[in-house]
Amino acid sequence: MEQKEKVEVEEVLNEVVGILNKHLFESKEVPQGRRDAVKELFEELGDRYFIAPAALKKDYHSCFPGGLAYHSLNVAKIALKLNEALETDVSNNSIVIVGLLHDIGKIGSVGENAKPYCKDQESSWHREKLGQLYVYNDELKDGLTVPQRSLRIL
């Protein structure tokens, strides 16, 4: 898969909405409680999900605004193809939810005093020489890894 340097956030948003509609919100097989919970989560996350990068360094996947949603969408699409090819008993709505939310901890914290996971790197030397476009947000101060924070958010 081609490594991108930027994406059109609106295009990614539309694709995420489309995959959620197809496999979750418009599916009669998905319990209403699950649909409501996912909708509520995405409403709480707001645009943060769609503007966050997936990585802090340029050499890593999807290190650009919108990278988290772009990367997660690709994970969901690939997982759907694998699910079909392997003929598993896992529901497509579960595949989509896991794919889209597996790195959700990279948005930072949620709630009233939400803090972003990362900030723009201010040092031009670090940006140019090391490809470090973002830095970890010290204000987050929760001591959690991305997987731990993902579980807390969910």
Side-chain angles (χ1 to χ4, degrees):
M1 183 176 295
E2 170 190 343
Q3 178 143 333
K4 291 195 171 239
E5 291 188 20
K6 71 176 195 168
V7 294
E8 294 298 325
V9 173
E10 189 171 339
E11 287 178 25
V12 174
L13 173 108
N14 289 335
E15 275 197 72
V16 169
V17 168
I19 201 169
L20 282 170
N21 283 338
K22 179 178 180 180
H23 296 287
L24 191 75
F25 299 131
E26 296 171 359
S27 173
K28 305 269 189 264
E29 300 167 7
V30 180
Q32 188 62 45
R34 179 177 251 196
R35 285 186 257 174
D36 292 344
V38 172
K39 182 178 181 185
E40 185 179 312
L41 176 63
F42 273 96
E43 286 173 354
E44 181 178 359
L45 299 175
D47 63 352
R48 293 176 62 203
Y49 178 81
F50 294 98
I51 61 173
L56 304 181
K57 292 182 81 173
K58 191 176 181 180
D59 291 343
Y60 299 157
H61 68 283
S62 306
C63 178
F64 47 79
L68 175 61
Y70 173 78
H71 163 69
S72 298
L73 177 64
N74 284 324
V75 168
K77 292 188 321 191
I78 291 167
L80 284 169
K81 289 178 184 175
L82 282 170
N83 193 39
E84 183 180 341
L86 298 173
E87 300 177 355
T88 73
D89 292 332
V90 180
S91 68
N92 281 343
N93 70 78
S94 291
I95 298 286
V96 167
I97 291 169
V98 170
L100 292 178
L101 299 177
H102 76 281
D103 267 348
I104 199 67
K106 290 184 178 179
I107 66 150
S109 61
V110 295
E112 241 178 78
N113 299 314
K115 304 271 191 249
Y117 175 69
C118 63
K119 295 181 174 184
D120 290 342
Q121 172 59 267
E122 294 179 4
S123 163
S124 59
W125 187 89
H126 283 84
R127 291 177 72 80
E128 294 165 16
K129 303 292 185 196
L130 302 179
Q132 187 181 50
L133 304 183
Y134 302 94
V135 294
Y136 175 76
N137 182 4
D138 290 335
E139 295 174 13
L140 199 52
K141 295 182 184 173
D142 61 7
L144 300 176
T145 64
V146 170
Q148 290 169 331
R149 190 173 306 103
S150 296
L151 289 173
R152 175 180 277 177
I153 291 170
L154 297 174

